[in-house]
């Protein structure tokens, strides 16, 4: 999946003629969910399911450097009119 930066997202929204009335990074609030996923996935035996193993690998990587990952991967909540 191709992701864009929050700066690019803001520019695209504004260039499309929208006025941003709310902009908030919700990443910090989402991190507890990621920790739960990581813990629960650790309880499931390894499988040949590529999707499950990719999710397991992703959660493991993120949990090894949570603060840095959260700072570099914002989860933007935006409202525009």
């Amino acid at each position: 999946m191709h992701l864009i930066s929050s700066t690019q997202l803001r520019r695209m929204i504004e260039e499309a003629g929208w006025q941003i009335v709310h902009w908030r990074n919700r990443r910090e609030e989402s991190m507890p969910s990621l920790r739960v996923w990581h813990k629960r996935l650790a309880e499931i035996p390894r499988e040949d399911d590529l999707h499950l193993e990719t999710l397991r690998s992703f959660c493991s990587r993120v949990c090894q450097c949570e603060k840095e990952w959260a700072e570099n991967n914002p989860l933007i909540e935006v409202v525009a009119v």
Side-chain angles (χ1 to χ4, degrees):
M1 178 187 310
H2 175 72
L3 301 176
I4 61 173
S5 70
S6 56
T7 303
Q8 290 172 302
L9 175 62
R10 181 180 285 271
R11 185 173 53 245
M12 288 172 63
I13 292 169
E14 291 173 340
E15 286 176 357
W18 293 92
Q19 177 185 353
I20 296 172
V21 295
H22 173 80
W23 183 273
R24 183 171 175 190
N25 181 0
R26 295 277 196 168
R27 177 56 69 200
E28 191 64 35
E29 296 165 49
S30 74
M31 294 307 287
S33 295
L34 187 98
R35 289 182 211 110
V36 169
W37 274 102
H38 179 64
K39 181 181 176 196
R40 290 186 177 171
L41 287 165
E43 297 169 357
I44 300 172
R46 298 245 175 234
E47 298 183 10
D48 289 335
D49 183 325
L50 183 58
H51 293 98
L52 180 64
E53 295 308 320
T54 299
L55 180 58
R56 184 191 317 265
S57 176
F58 170 77
C59 289
S60 180
R61 278 194 317 273
V62 171
C63 285
Q64 290 175 14
C65 57
E66 284 185 35
K67 187 175 185 322
E68 180 183 19
W69 187 85
E71 289 172 357
N72 290 300
N73 294 279
L75 178 61
I76 303 300
E77 175 181 85
V78 61
V79 177
V81 293

